[in-house]
Amino acid sequence: MAAAPVAAGSGAGRGRRSAATVAAWGGWGGRPRPGNILLQLRQGQLTGRGLVRAVQFTETFLTERDKQSKWSGIPQLLLKLHTTSHLHSDFVECQNILKEISPLLSMEAMAFVTEERKLTQETTYPNTYIFDLFGGVDLLVEILMRPTISIRGQKLKISDEMSKDCLSILYNTCVCTEGVTKRLAEKNDFVIFLFTLMTSKKTFLQTATLIEDILGVKKEMIRLDEVPNLSSLVSNFDQQQLANFCRILAVTISEMDTGNDDKHTLLAKNAQQKKSLSLGPSAAEINQAALLSIPGFVERLCKLATRKVSESTGTASFLQELEEWYTWLDNALVLDALMRVANEESEHNQGASEENGLPHTSARTQLPQSMKIMHEIMYKLEVLYVLCVLLMGRQRNQVHRMIAEFKLIPGLNNLFDKLIWRKHSASALVLHGHNQNCDCSPDITLKIQFLRLLQSFSDHHENKYLLLNNQELNELSAISLKANIPEVEAVLNTDRSLVCDGKRGLLTRLLQVMKKEPAESSFRFWQARAVESFLRGTTSYADQMFLLKRGLLEHILYCIVDSECKSRDVLQSYFDLLGELMKFNVDAFKRFNKYINTDAKFQVFLKQINSSLVDSNMLVRCVTLSLDRFENQVDMKVAEVLSECRLLAYISQVPTQMSFLFRLINIIHVQTLTQKCVSGDPALLRTVLRRNQCPIVQTGPKEGGLASALRSQADLQENVSCLNTSLVILMLARRKERLPLYLRLLQRMEHSKKYPGFLLNNFHNLLRFWQQHYLHKDKDSTCLENSSCISFSYWKETVSILLNPDRQSPSALVSYIEEPYMDIDRDFTEE
C-alpha cells in the first residue's frame, strides 16, 4: 500500500511537514490530538495521506506520549531505525535497534501460537500493532530491499544476521496483526525479492516461512519463472532446504481456489476450461513446467521421499534448526511436542550424569528417535504432496516416467512398515487448536498423502504394475495362463528392475492394513480409493483375481453388510471398488453369492444400495453390464452363476431397472452435475499441512479433523456417473430393441408421480450437456469406453437417437413428452 513521501533527514517531525500532515495535527499547537493518533495513523495507511509513519513525529512528542499510552518505546525505536538505515549507513546501529525491537514482538507471537488461539478476535497484541501502525512493516521492507538499489555501479549489502532479524520481525507482525500479510502479498516485487534471500542458509528458514504465509493469502499466484535464477537457486539447496522449499512449491503448483460455491460443477468446469483455452496455461501449470525443467529436481524429491530415518541430517544441526522453528511455531504441527521430548531427554541425561559423576550429554547432541521419525515424516509430507500434484498435472506422463526411473515406489515400499504405516504411540499428543478426537496429526496426514499419491500414480496408467514385486507379477501371468487368456500387455512391458522388492509389493501391503483397519478408521475411504484406482481402466481378469485371492471381496462385503457402514463417503468408495472388482468376473459373482448366502443378508445389501443411489450407481452399472455379457455367453459356469446369484436375478428384472433409471435421472440436473475428484481437495490438505489448525469445527464425539474433512470433499456427491449409468441401461435396452419400451415406461412413471414431462425434459437437457462435455474430451470418452466395453461410437449414437427432434421416432425422447409439457428448447445453463 502506497505510503506518503517521507522527508529526508532525522525524521519528518523535525523537517518540513506536508499540508495534509499539518491539517491532521491542527488544534494542538502543531501536535496531533492524543486520543486520535492511532486512528489517524490507520486512516493514513488506508488512504496513503496524512500520518503514516513514526518519522512524522518528533522524538520528544513520541517519548511524552509513550508515557501515557505504554507503546514500549516502539515508535521511538522506529524513528531511530529510519535515521540509521539510510543508503550510506553501515547498518551497525540499525542492527542494534532491530535487536531491541525483536523480543518485544516475538513474545507476543509466541503467546499467540501457544494459547491455542483462543478468542483471537478479542485479543490485542499492542506491540506488533503499534509497530505496524507507526510504519515499521514498510520500513523493514525498504531496508531488506536496499541491496536491489545500485549506487555508482555498486550494490549495497546488508548482513545475513540483519536480514534474519528483519524477517523475524515481519513474520511475528504478520502472525499477530491482521492484514499485514495481505499488504505484503500486494508487493509483488518484494515477494519475488524474498526468493533471493533463500540463497543463504542463515536466512533460509525465516525467508521460506514468510514467503509461505504471503503466498497463502496472495490473490494472484506468483510465477516461478519470474524468480531470478530459479534453477540455480533450487539446484544449490541441500536436501533439508529442498524439503522445506516444498512447502512453498505446494502453494505455487496447486490451482487456486476461486471461492465459488459452484466451482466443482461440470458446468462451471467446462466454462472455465473454455476460458483457459483462450488465456493459455494457468500460473500453476507454468510453475509446474518451470520446476520440471530444473535438472535433477524430481530425482531429488524421490530421494527425499524414500530416505530412511537413519540417513537424516545430523542431530546437532537439526536440534538447532528445531529451536529456530519453535519460534516460528505456526510453520509446523508438532514442534512444541518435539521440543518437550527433547527437553525431557535432556533432563533425563543430566540427572543420570549427575548420579554417575559424568558430564551430561546435551539434547543438542543426542536426538531422541521419536523426534528423528517426526522430522522425517514432516519432510516427507511436503515432498509427497508436491509429487502428487505433479502427477495430476499436464506433464503427468513425464513425471510418471521419472518417478518410475528413480524408484519412488520401491523406496516407499521399503518405508511402509517402519515409517508410513507404523503403529501409533499410545501417548499421542493433542496439538494446539485441536481436541482429543481430532485426527489432524502428522502421522495421519502422511498416511492420507501416501494413499493419495498411490491413487494418482495408479489411476489409468500402465505404471501401476510397479506396485507389485517380481513374484506377484509372475502370479498375474499364471492367472492369465490358467484362464487361457492373453497376458495384459502392460504387465509384459513392465521393467522388472523398477518394481518393488522384498516379500510383498506395495499393493499387497496396502491390502493387509486395509483388512485390519478398525470399523471407525479414518483411512477406510482412502484405502478403498487407492485400490480401486489400480483396477480402473480396461477391465483385467488377472488383476481382479489377484485381489480376489487375497480376500478383498469378502472384506468389502463384511464392511457393507455385517458392519452396516453408515458413512456415505466410505460406502461410495466401497461400492465403486466392489463394482470394479466384480465387473464381468464370474468367479467374483460366485464369491459374492457364497458370502451373501441368506435373504436377510441380501436385504441388508439392497438397503445399502438403495439408501443412496448416487453412492452405489457405479456398482449398479457394473452389475448391469456384467449381466448383459453373461446372458450372451454359453458356458456352464456362467449359467450356474446366473441361476444362483441373487444380485444378478434382482438386476435382471425390468421393474428393478426402471426403478433405478427413474431415480438416476430424477436426482440430477445440469446445474448440479459434478465429477469425481480423483485425489481429494488439494487446497484443504494444503491448509492443514501449512497451518496448525483443525479444518473443521469439532461437533461430535467420534471424528473430525483432516481425514473427515478431506473425505467429505474428495468425491462425495459425485453424480455425473448417474447420468452415464442411466445411459448404460438404455444402451443395453437399445441392443435388445427395447429402447421404446423403456421410454414408454418412463413416461408412465412420470404420470404416476404427477409430474408429466418433468423427468424427460430434464433427461433431454442432461443429454445435450453430455454431448458438450464428452465429445470434446478424449480422456473422458476413452474412460467410458474402457470401463463399459461399449464403443464410444455406440454411446454417441444412442445419445443422438434419444435427442432426435422427430416426434415420429419411437426412440426419441420428444415422442414421449406431451406438447403442453415440452420444455426442451430452454437453455439448460439457466437456473
Side-chain angles (χ1 to χ4, degrees), residues 247 381-382 385 445 449 685-691:
R247 301 175 72 86
L381 268 174
E382 309 298 341
Y385 182 90
T445 313
Q449 186 56 67
L685 182 66
R686 191 169 66 244
T687 298
V688 180
L689 294 182
R690 309 278 80 75
R691 286 276 179 252

Side-chain angles (χ1 to χ4, degrees), residues 386-624:
V386 171
L387 287 171
C388 191
V389 175
L390 292 175
L391 267 176
M392 294 186 288
R394 281 193 177 189
Q395 291 86 11
R396 185 190 183 205
N397 288 332
Q398 178 189 354
V399 177
H400 246 290
R401 199 163 49 248
M402 291 190 285
I403 282 179
E405 179 186 348
F406 302 132
K407 297 189 175 183
L408 174 69
I409 299 302
L412 292 177
N413 187 45
N414 293 333
L415 291 175
F416 188 86
D417 292 327
K418 291 185 178 179
L419 187 70
I420 297 173
W421 224 271
R422 67 194 184 101
K423 292 182 179 179
H424 288 292
S425 169
S427 57
L429 291 160
V430 178
L431 306 176
H432 284 308
H434 304 246
N435 67 32
Q436 62 184 356
N437 298 313
C438 185
D439 59 8
C440 298
S441 75
D443 265 322
I444 289 175
T445 313
L446 177 67
K447 289 177 173 61
I448 293 175
Q449 186 56 67
F450 166 77
L451 293 172
R452 290 177 72 246
L453 179 72
L454 290 192
Q455 185 178 5
S456 302
F457 183 83
S458 301
D459 190 40
H460 293 92
H461 204 283
E462 293 182 350
N463 274 354
K464 66 183 183 181
Y465 292 107
L466 297 181
L467 296 175
L468 309 182
N469 63 19
N470 275 299
Q471 184 179 347
E472 291 164 346
L473 284 172
N474 292 337
E475 184 180 339
L476 285 181
S477 300
I479 292 171
S480 298
L481 182 64
K482 183 178 180 181
N484 196 27
I485 57 176
E487 280 193 68
V488 176
E489 192 173 344
V491 175
L492 295 172
N493 294 336
T494 297
D495 186 341
R496 296 286 184 117
S497 69
L498 303 177
V499 301
C500 294
D501 49 17
K503 294 181 179 180
R504 293 180 296 276
L506 203 46
L507 180 64
T508 303
R509 289 181 186 273
L510 177 57
L511 290 174
Q512 287 179 324
V513 298
M514 183 178 179
K515 291 166 69 175
K516 295 176 182 177
E517 211 62 49
E520 69 282 359
S521 170
S522 302
F523 302 117
R524 284 179 171 269
F525 170 86
W526 298 100
Q527 291 165 341
R529 281 284 171 250
V531 177
E532 185 213 342
S533 68
F534 181 81
L535 290 171
R536 287 194 197 124
T538 305
T539 303
S540 166
Y541 174 81
D543 292 354
Q544 291 173 322
M545 292 307 299
F546 180 85
L547 297 174
L548 286 169
K549 288 169 67 176
R550 285 157 175 79
L552 179 59
L553 183 137
E554 288 79 7
H555 172 71
I556 297 171
L557 292 177
Y558 169 81
C559 295
I560 294 173
V561 177
D562 294 316
S563 70
E564 293 193 58
C565 174
K566 293 181 174 58
S567 169
R568 282 192 58 197
D569 45 355
V570 175
L571 267 177
Q572 186 189 63
S573 65
Y574 281 156
F575 280 130
D576 288 354
L577 176 54
L578 188 61
E580 291 292 343
L581 192 61
M582 294 178 65
K583 187 168 52 180
F584 308 134
N585 193 308
V586 175
D587 297 278
F589 278 92
K590 286 188 71 174
R591 283 173 175 257
F592 176 91
N593 214 43
K594 185 176 180 180
Y595 190 93
I596 307 296
N597 55 4
T598 65
D599 287 337
K601 276 189 174 184
F602 186 59
Q603 290 306 314
V604 172
F605 185 75
L606 290 185
K607 180 182 176 183
Q608 292 282 47
I609 288 179
N610 287 301
S611 63
S612 176
L613 205 52
V614 171
D615 303 324
S616 62
N617 83 88
M618 287 296 291
L619 175 64
V620 171
R621 186 197 306 181
C622 291
V623 176
T624 303

Side-chain angles (χ1 to χ4, degrees), residues 5 125 225 292 407 466 554 563 568 607 614 632 693 764 782 785 788 791 806:
Y125 295 92
D225 58 354
L292 291 173
K407 297 189 175 183
L466 297 181
E554 288 79 7
S563 70
R568 282 192 58 197
K607 180 182 176 183
V614 171
N632 292 301
Q693 291 179 331
H764 196 280
T782 303
E785 190 170 76
S788 65
S791 68
D806 183 6

